[in-house]
Amino acid sequence: MWLALREIARSKGRFALLGGAIGLLVFLNLFQQALLNGLVTDFIGAVENQNSPVLVFSEQARKNVEGSFLSQDQADAIAAVEGVADTALIGQNTFTVLAGGDDADAVLFGYELGGLGEPTALVEGTLPQGANLAVATEADADAGFGIGDEITILADGGPVITVVGLASESRWAVTPTLFVSYETFEAAQLAVNPGSEVVLPSLVAVQPDDGTDLDALTDAIDASVPGTEALTNQEAIDGNPAVVNTSQSFNIILTLGFVVVLVVVAFFFLILTVQKARPLTLLRAVGAPRAFLVRNLVIQIVLVMAAGIAAGLVLTFLAVVTAPVGDVAISVRPSTAISTVLTLFVLALIAGIASIRRVLRIDPIDATVDAA
């Protein structure tokens, strides 16, 4: 280990450059993951943080809540499927509203109060106990969606909704979101569509019987009720088109970031090993075992990666705390940081294989050969 530390001390500049480069790459990787987590949460938080374990969409919607509409006959048929203990209607739509004195877009999720579809991430206030009351999203409290604020649906006869509670991480489509009674949702829909005679629910929330397998139940609903697609809550989150498209784009960038770390570490230590081939040969000639040289190389890789990762974590923390990212609330989840760090260490060790193989091929007899 002392040999590894002495070499780092003698070549501070080059090792500092490598550590800095790794730190920047770690920062970019973690910050993008934090941004992805924030975007995903703001896309689907309203579905993720509600209490229905199964949601039924119309088949044509392709897991898109905005495109899903179910008839009352379908809702009744879902309730009759074996294994279903309870059902409830959920309505969803985006409305133009007056909030905080300004026009804005807001998503309404209408659910049957006290039942399925109720928000589960309440952090302040109470759940709505009647018509024209709402739980809003905590992130939008300062934009006219705070407790006590009134939000008006901008349409003739549109209801005036009073916010009585705030929920965290419960937005939909990165838009201020209100959880209201289903009757309030119907009133808003009829106000903006005065020619409509009936308001169709977007989803049917399902509570299974105790001990019922969720996957088996969703399959049974699909088979029993034509034109529907039943999904567990997690399937609805993972299959949301916005989440899928956003995750795919970010995953390509993140993968490239990991590849760059692999290439940078591999080339740096390979070049370093080539440059010090003569000293390494002399060490082998005076009796230094291969394991000793390999161990020192691995120690250098680990130390440089540890320093770079530490710098990257600090930069990420500072960026998350101070960087302006609009309305998206970003954060680094501990599980994300841990998995990223472990992946980077593994990639660094893989990157060092070429250098390790070169060290193992060093023949002590070469020390007797005239380099000229």
Side-chain angles (χ1 to χ4, degrees), residues 218-238:
T218 56
D219 290 342
I221 293 173
D222 291 345
S224 302
V225 187
T228 64
E229 182 178 17
L231 302 169
T232 65
N233 195 38
Q234 191 60 52
E235 289 173 340
I237 294 167
D238 295 339

Side-chain angles (χ1 to χ4, degrees), residues 16-296:
L17 284 173
L18 176 62
I22 292 171
L24 288 174
L25 290 169
V26 171
F27 160 67
L28 289 172
N29 196 299
L30 286 175
F31 187 77
Q32 288 177 84
Q33 291 188 69
L35 185 58
L36 174 60
N37 291 336
L39 284 171
V40 169
T41 298
D42 272 9
F43 272 128
I44 48 78
V47 168
E48 183 177 19
N49 293 306
Q50 55 83 38
N51 65 354
S52 176
V54 174
L55 296 171
V56 184
F57 294 68
S58 64
E59 190 175 29
Q60 295 80 7
R62 298 181 181 179
K63 303 181 178 66
N64 188 346
V65 176
E66 287 79 2
S68 180
F69 300 97
L70 297 168
S71 68
Q72 186 60 52
D73 289 342
Q74 287 174 313
D76 293 339
I78 292 166
V81 173
E82 184 177 357
V84 173
D86 191 19
T87 61
L89 305 180
I90 294 179
Q92 183 273 344
N93 203 355
T94 302
F95 298 86
T96 301
V97 302
L98 179 65
D102 296 318
D103 292 358
D105 288 333
V107 176
L108 262 61
F109 269 84
Y111 71 99
E112 298 178 18
L113 300 184
L116 298 171
E118 183 176 87
T120 58
L122 191 72
V123 294
E124 187 178 350
T126 64
L127 294 170
Q129 301 297 319
N132 299 335
L133 302 177
V135 166
T137 41
E138 181 184 28
D140 304 299
D142 295 333
F145 294 86
I147 291 180
D149 290 338
E150 292 186 343
I151 293 95
T152 304
I153 304 296
L154 290 180
D156 290 340
V160 178
I161 301 168
T162 302
V163 177
V164 295
L166 296 175
S168 65
E169 299 185 342
S170 297
R171 276 178 169 178
W172 183 260
V174 200
T175 304
T177 302
L178 301 170
F179 290 86
V180 299
S181 68
Y182 193 78
E183 291 74 18
T184 302
F185 170 77
E186 286 183 313
Q189 282 283 75
L190 292 173
V192 298
N193 298 288
S196 299
E197 296 182 358
V198 64
V199 175
L200 297 177
S202 304
L203 309 169
V204 172
V206 174
Q207 179 65 51
D209 286 327
D210 292 340
T212 300
D213 180 77
L214 293 184
D215 291 331
L217 180 59
T218 56
D219 290 342
I221 293 173
D222 291 345
S224 302
V225 187
T228 64
E229 182 178 17
L231 302 169
T232 65
N233 195 38
Q234 191 60 52
E235 289 173 340
I237 294 167
D238 295 339
N240 181 270
V243 172
V244 171
N245 293 333
T246 302
S247 297
Q248 287 176 345
S249 300
F250 270 85
N251 286 337
I252 292 172
I253 299 172
L254 293 172
T255 300
L256 290 175
F258 283 121
V259 171
V260 170
V261 171
L262 179 68
V263 172
V264 167
V265 174
F267 273 98
F268 177 87
F269 282 100
L270 183 58
I271 292 172
L272 193 64
T273 302
V274 171
Q275 289 177 340
K276 62 183 183 180
R278 188 68 178 170
L280 291 174
T281 304
L282 289 174
L283 285 172
R284 287 285 292 119
V286 297
R290 289 188 177 91
F292 171 76
L293 299 180
V294 170
R295 184 166 60 250
N296 279 277

